Amino acid sequence: MRRLSVLTLLLLSTAAQAAAAEPFGVASAGARSQAMGGAFVSLADDASALFSNPAGLVLSGASCVWGDYAEPRGVGSRGEGRLGAVLPRGATVFGVSGYRHALDGRTRNILVAGVARNLVEGTQGSFLAVGVTFKIGRLLADRECSVCPGREADTHPSGDIGLVIRPLPFVSFGYAVETVVESDFDAGEARESWERAGRLGMAWLWEEKVTIAVERESRGGETTIRYGVAVRASWGIELMGGVIGKSRIAGGVRWSANRLRLGAAFEQANEDVSGRVTLELFPTGRKEGFGG
């Protein structure tokens, strides 16, 4: 435990310095993350960890095939979806996913591959895990797009890093730096754009029944505080809710069985509401990863 505590302080210090130096952008997260207001970096306990914090892949615990779909949100959006798989190999977990976001006149496509490893496993469910992802993206422009300079514009490859630390069985810390680099179209010209975000958060877990999480996100010079709560009820049902900043709320439900897990979430900002559904299949049965 002493070794784990020292590593916890060291990695959090290093992560904070990296965030101040160069924060990164973040891709879309999953239904449970959305339902908890995005306060997910310290949890990241489903297959969508590949997008929110790759270190959380170690919590998958079993092989998984998954997919999700989100209703349109924002001007010009026609919907987004993902398909992916997670494959554990001992203390190392591999993940891959494709992401597609349809927009008016163009489509954003991203291929993500990641790996996570449990570095330290302590007593009573304590652990330390790190993870990295590699992304390749492309923005395809339709021929009918009046502001697009050509048929397609390629993105540059990028990468994400993350860590999850659970020094005690009821406390979890997480950090992730994420980036998406892509070409954008403005007045008929292509230009490169970066989405940037750094996330640092913690969660309190009570007997695997109640989870309370808080997260600080720095993105494009702005800071957003996110809060989330999840309560596990009977019959494998989990109820979730969240608050994003001062103007958005979120909520959802997740149902878990041995080989199947379903999730649905919504997020509301003023009069605009977006929704997401997630499906996870576990061919060999669902298991809990390190730390439960």
Side-chain angles (χ1 to χ4, degrees):
M1 284 302 296
R2 190 177 205 179
R3 179 185 176 190
L4 181 56
S5 300
V6 172
L7 284 172
T8 298
L9 295 174
L10 178 62
L11 285 172
L12 283 177
S13 174
T14 303
Q17 294 175 13
E22 186 178 3
F24 295 87
V26 59
S28 173
R32 189 170 192 246
S33 174
Q34 183 175 2
M36 296 185 67
F40 204 58
V41 71
S42 58
L43 300 172
D45 59 354
D46 60 21
S48 71
L50 197 62
F51 290 83
S52 55
N53 185 351
L57 287 173
V58 301
L59 292 168
S60 300
S63 299
C64 173
V65 178
W66 69 282
D68 70 4
Y69 174 77
E71 285 295 322
R73 60 180 182 181
V75 178
S77 176
R78 296 181 177 178
E80 59 182 9
R82 290 173 296 181
L83 289 174
V86 174
L87 182 64
R89 284 293 180 266
T92 304
V93 183
F94 301 91
V96 63
S97 177
Y99 170 83
R100 181 180 179 88
H101 186 191
L103 301 160
D104 288 340
R106 49 203 184 273
T107 303
R108 184 171 62 150
N109 302 276
I110 300 175
L111 178 63
V112 183
V115 60
R117 183 170 179 83
N118 183 56
L119 296 182
V120 179
E121 184 178 3
T123 59
Q124 299 181 350
S126 62
F127 71 95
L128 183 153
V130 297
V132 297
T133 61
F134 177 76
K135 297 179 180 177
I136 297 179
R138 173 173 291 182
L139 188 68
L140 300 177
D142 296 338
R143 298 183 186 279
E144 295 81 6
C145 180
S146 60
V147 299
C148 304
R151 177 71 180 95
E152 63 182 42
D154 292 340
T155 73
H156 296 286
S158 62
D160 306 337
I161 62 173
L163 61 90
V164 175
I165 305 167
R166 192 167 295 179
L168 297 171
F170 55 86
V171 178
S172 182
F173 298 92
Y175 177 79
V177 288
E178 302 173 282
T179 181
V180 176
V181 189
E182 67 180 36
S183 297
D184 197 3
F185 298 133
D186 183 22
E189 297 182 358
R191 64 178 184 177
E192 182 181 293
S193 67
W194 288 66
E195 291 184 353
R196 301 178 177 180
R199 293 182 170 186
L200 179 65
M202 67 172 295
W204 177 71
L205 307 94
W206 181 67
E207 295 183 357
E208 300 185 2
K209 294 181 179 180
V210 178
T211 301
I212 300 174
V214 60
E215 180 176 310
R216 180 182 184 273
E217 178 188 66
S218 300
R219 179 174 182 173
E222 298 182 357
T223 299
T224 302
I225 305 299
R226 303 172 181 270
Y227 304 92
V229 61
V231 179
R232 293 189 182 183
S234 303
W235 305 101
I237 295 176
E238 185 176 33
L239 304 176
M240 299 160 287
V243 178
I244 308 102
K246 299 180 180 180
S247 60
R248 289 181 288 167
I249 62 172
V253 60
R254 186 171 70 165
W255 174 75
S256 301
N258 183 42
R259 297 179 183 270
L260 175 66
R261 189 155 61 187
L262 300 173
F266 75 90
E267 181 180 320
Q268 181 176 6
N270 299 323
E271 297 181 357
D272 297 327
V273 179
S274 62
R276 183 180 299 274
V277 292
T278 299
L279 168 67
E280 296 174 87
L281 299 174
F282 302 87
T284 60
R286 187 174 62 87
K287 300 177 182 178
E288 299 290 351
F290 293 104

